[in-house]
Amino acid sequence: MILSIESSCDDSSIAITEILTLKLLFYKKISQNEEHSKYGGVVPELASRLHVEALPKLLQDAEKYFKNLKAIAVTNAPGLTVSLLEGVAMAKSISIALNIPLIAVNHLKGHIYSLFIEKEATFPFLALLISGGHSQLVEVNGWNNFKVVLSTLDDSLGESFDKVAKMLGLSYPGGAIIENLAINGDEYKYNFPVPLLYSNQTAFSFSGLKNSVRLTIEKEIEINDEVRQNISASFQRVATEHIILQIKRYLNLKENKNRYKFLGVVGGVSANLYIRNKLLDLLNKYKMDLIAPELKFCSDNGAMIGRFGIELYRTNEFINLQDLKVMSRANL
Ligand code: KG4
Ligand code: ZN
């Protein structure tokens, strides 16, 4: 079995996965949403202190599996340094105590492998990674063969959801709150401009849209529930139209015709059912399938870290205690 630890931002999570069968034997997560909510975003120092409380608690619950452990996989990049350090420090201690090797997992690869929790991966495919920290379209041509073909010029999609929520006086994280408010809103009430509609750039960009939402909110005399619903629905529609337009531009390139049979959507924002449905409509036109993780594995979790950790275990990609470092920035 492999023990996996995730602490890159504001979720502490641990999983135990059986290496041969990929079966998830144990999975737990403690989120810090409530604690950060009053500050309107993640406070790194607070996140770090909360990991120190949560991680040992989670570990205790998994104690009965310790005798069967063959390796420990831990997220070491990218993320908040002070958060990553807590998971990595714990992984190193267990590695010494149980005399088992360490595996360093890139958080973004973990997200992509959330598609294959309890199952084998098949290639090639396209991955749309939409989270609080990232917005990327990735060609995945092999188990460790990732090529980013579309990324954001400015903010990430998750961050934009959170910012819009904050501007509307809603709590953090705002993604799911905006999605729920949008259900009862008029998505054509506000005509926010679709980013990069009139440029032929193939990229994501959300800062202009965020700014349009801000200007609209400033103009409204009263921000009541109806306004919140309409702004949420209009923002979500335009942000989604933008993503769909950009993926379409990529798929329409001659070299990409019929190249991929499916697209996997991952990351916290992939829990959004409105976005999933619009992706489905788009992919239908290209005779492609959509795959997505179970809702509980869209946001940060230890199970996806264990799943990619097993790929690294299979190829003996272990790392020495002294070489295992954390990095706030890292690419796929
Ligand atoms: O993947 P994740 O847990 O953390 C990062 O690696 O960044 O993603 C968190 C992000 C937050 O911005 C949150 O607001 C967003 O995912 N999110 C959503 C939804 N659920 C979470 N955004 C839109 N709709 C949702 N239902
Ligand atoms: Zn994440």
Side-chain angles (χ1 to χ4, degrees), residues 103-281:
I103 293 171
V105 177
N106 175 306
H107 181 78
L108 308 178
K109 296 181 185 180
H111 268 303
I112 292 181
Y113 267 74
S114 64
L115 294 167
F116 306 118
I117 289 171
E118 303 209 293
K119 45 183 172 279
E120 285 296 341
T122 53
F123 308 100
F125 65 96
L126 279 176
L128 177 67
L129 168 60
I130 37 177
S131 67
H134 292 80
S135 300
Q136 301 180 328
L137 185 69
V138 186
E139 292 175 353
V140 188
N141 292 318
W143 80 268
N144 201 12
N145 184 346
F146 305 95
K147 186 177 168 205
V148 178
V149 286
L150 238 164
S151 52
T152 177
L153 302 174
D154 38 64
D155 308 319
S156 76
L157 180 56
E159 195 217 321
S160 310
F161 267 92
D162 294 338
K163 217 19 104 41
V164 170
K166 196 174 175 181
M167 292 188 284
L168 290 173
L170 306 165
S171 63
Y172 172 86
I177 305 172
I178 296 279
E179 182 185 9
N180 277 328
L181 282 171
I183 293 170
N184 298 311
D186 172 3
E187 62 179 22
Y188 290 98
K189 178 76 188 176
Y190 301 97
N191 249 331
F192 303 127
V194 177
L196 304 181
L197 181 60
Y198 299 108
S199 101
N200 51 15
Q201 235 175 332
T202 312
F204 295 128
S205 169
F206 299 99
S207 66
L209 172 58
K210 242 169 56 179
N211 205 34
S212 308
V213 175
R214 184 178 61 78
L215 294 172
T216 301
I217 291 172
E218 282 171 7
K219 263 192 261 150
E220 282 293 334
I221 300 157
E222 191 199 348
I223 303 295
N224 54 29
D225 285 351
E226 194 189 340
V227 173
R228 284 197 185 93
Q229 287 167 351
N230 291 338
I231 288 184
S232 295
S234 303
F235 159 75
Q236 181 175 260
R237 171 186 60 81
V238 174
T240 308
E241 278 181 14
H242 169 61
I243 298 169
I244 296 293
L245 170 76
Q246 294 303 326
I247 299 177
K248 212 153 116 186
R249 279 184 187 167
Y250 166 86
L251 289 173
N252 284 345
L253 293 174
K254 211 164 65 212
E255 64 267 30
N256 296 332
K257 281 255 147 65
N258 304 319
R259 217 168 132 204
Y260 295 99
K261 298 267 177 298
F262 67 98
L263 178 144
V265 62
V266 297
V269 188
S270 72
N272 186 298
L273 299 182
Y274 178 91
I275 297 177
R276 283 191 186 194
N277 281 330
K278 296 291 174 185
L279 282 170
L280 257 179
D281 293 344

